[in-house]
Amino acid sequence: ATSRSMATPVAAVAAQLEKFKAAFAREDLEACVKLLAELKMGMLSFGSLPPAAPSAPSSSQQQELLLAREILEYGTLVSIKTVDIPAFERHIAQLKVYYADCGSLPASERQYPILGLNLLRLLAQNRIAEFHTELELLPVELQLSNEFIKFPAQLEQHIMEGSYNRVLSAKQSGAYAKEGLYFMDLLVDTVRDEIAECSEKAYHSVSAAELQTMLMISSEQELREFADQRDWRVANGLVTFGGQDDKPLALPASQLIHESLAYAKELERIV
């Protein structure tokens, strides 16, 4: 009787998950969001999920855990595609329990791509302390060998070293070229802001054309809008940084451009 009562909701959720996968494959995000909500409602009928997950689950209990884990994994991917980053963070928080505390389950092929995406998110959001906390939870050998973990780890190292051109040695996987695109775009924005802050500290003024190239801004109008946000003055082909009148020009602007543009511009090409 127990096996029969557990099998019924599991079978229903499994069937619903197949419908979700079909919608996900055809990139019908509206259907994905709707089906994902229904799948989560179905998970409420499972009695073996964390924090009540058994240390030695039976076959039926393991099926519940595997289904729930797969649903949450797809939830992270849908969250990125719909640019719902708070939902991505919630799914990650739930999944980490399955990855850490449900060691009896077969390994998931999505685990490290998803954990790598989370590292990429933290890096893109400039949450460096949290990035290192998450990275330290993973074995060192994994950081060196798994392509999904290795990419954000190397990327962060290059950024911290200021070796922007070396980021090209860390290649992104095909999966990251799709699901990671949003975070890569966000990372470019973060880098742009950091380059702007460095420029403010290092120079009194910079050629508008050179700064536009360095910041990967596509038009003079966009540069003016960016400058307005930071209280810069654009006139006569020069960008003058605010509050820096007493600062000498120590280095030519082109040197900063050549050092930083190699990273910031090529970063977009990775995806």
Side-chain angles (χ1 to χ4, degrees):
T2 302
S3 175
R4 186 179 185 82
S5 64
M6 294 185 68
T8 301
V10 165
V13 171
Q16 192 79 334
L17 181 58
E18 291 306 309
K19 294 180 182 178
F20 170 89
K21 290 179 180 178
F24 187 84
R26 64 176 183 267
E27 298 190 358
D28 185 346
L29 295 182
E30 185 177 352
C32 284
V33 171
K34 179 177 181 293
L35 288 167
L36 187 62
E38 294 174 2
L39 285 166
K40 290 179 180 178
M41 288 296 295
M43 284 169 56
L44 295 177
S45 65
F46 293 176
S48 306
L49 304 187
S55 57
S58 65
S59 176
S60 58
Q61 290 172 331
Q62 185 176 74
Q63 191 176 6
E64 287 185 354
L65 289 165
L66 288 171
L67 270 174
R69 185 181 70 181
E70 188 172 11
I71 290 166
L72 292 173
E73 288 175 334
Y74 274 112
T76 64
L77 302 180
V78 170
S79 298
I80 297 175
K81 288 178 178 291
T82 57
V83 197
D84 188 348
I85 304 309
F88 176 85
E89 295 184 23
R90 290 193 298 271
H91 286 118
I92 286 288
Q94 291 175 283
L95 275 173
K96 282 160 64 177
V97 177
Y98 286 82
Y99 294 152
D101 299 339
C102 298
S104 62
L105 296 181
S108 169
E109 63 180 12
R110 301 180 191 88
Q111 176 175 348
Y112 294 118
I114 286 173
L115 292 179
L117 281 169
N118 189 46
L119 289 171
L120 194 58
R121 170 186 68 89
L122 293 172
L123 190 58
Q125 293 174 334
N126 208 21
R127 293 160 65 174
I128 303 302
E130 293 173 72
F131 175 92
H132 282 287
T133 298
E134 293 298 319
L135 194 60
E136 288 169 6
L137 295 174
L138 300 170
V140 174
E141 59 270 18
L142 194 69
Q143 300 175 29
L144 300 174
S145 62
N146 186 284
E147 60 178 330
F148 297 103
I149 305 302
K150 184 178 180 180
F151 175 75
Q154 287 187 332
L155 186 57
E156 189 271 344
Q157 182 180 352
H158 297 332
I159 293 173
M160 293 300 101
E161 292 173 350
S163 304
Y164 301 126
N165 58 321
R166 292 183 60 194
V167 76
L168 296 179
S169 65
K171 297 299 181 181
Q172 212 172 21
S173 73
Y176 276 171
K178 294 174 60 180
E179 275 73 24
L181 183 59
Y182 170 79
F183 293 139
M184 295 302 294
D185 288 343
L186 182 60
L187 183 55
V188 169
D189 290 340
T190 300
V191 170
R192 181 182 289 128
D193 287 337
E194 291 187 351
I195 292 173
E197 290 177 10
C198 290
S199 300
E200 290 173 332
K201 293 175 182 177
Y203 309 111
H204 175 269
S205 62
V206 175
S207 161
E210 290 180 329
L211 189 61
Q212 180 178 323
T213 301
M214 178 170 60
L215 295 174
M216 297 178 298
I217 292 176
S218 60
S219 69
E220 183 180 347
Q221 179 59 33
E222 286 185 38
L223 177 62
R224 289 183 178 275
E225 292 173 0
F226 188 86
D228 287 343
Q229 295 171 7
R230 305 188 73 94
D231 295 324
W232 296 346
R233 187 173 74 253
V234 183
N236 302 319
L238 286 177
V239 177
T240 303
F241 305 119
Q244 305 292 328
D245 293 337
D246 58 344
K247 181 182 56 190
L249 274 171
L251 295 170
S254 59
Q255 183 169 339
L256 175 64
I257 290 168
H258 291 314
E259 289 294 325
S260 58
L261 183 60
Y263 163 66
K265 186 177 180 180
E266 295 295 340
L267 181 58
E268 292 187 323
R269 297 181 185 176
I270 296 177
V271 296

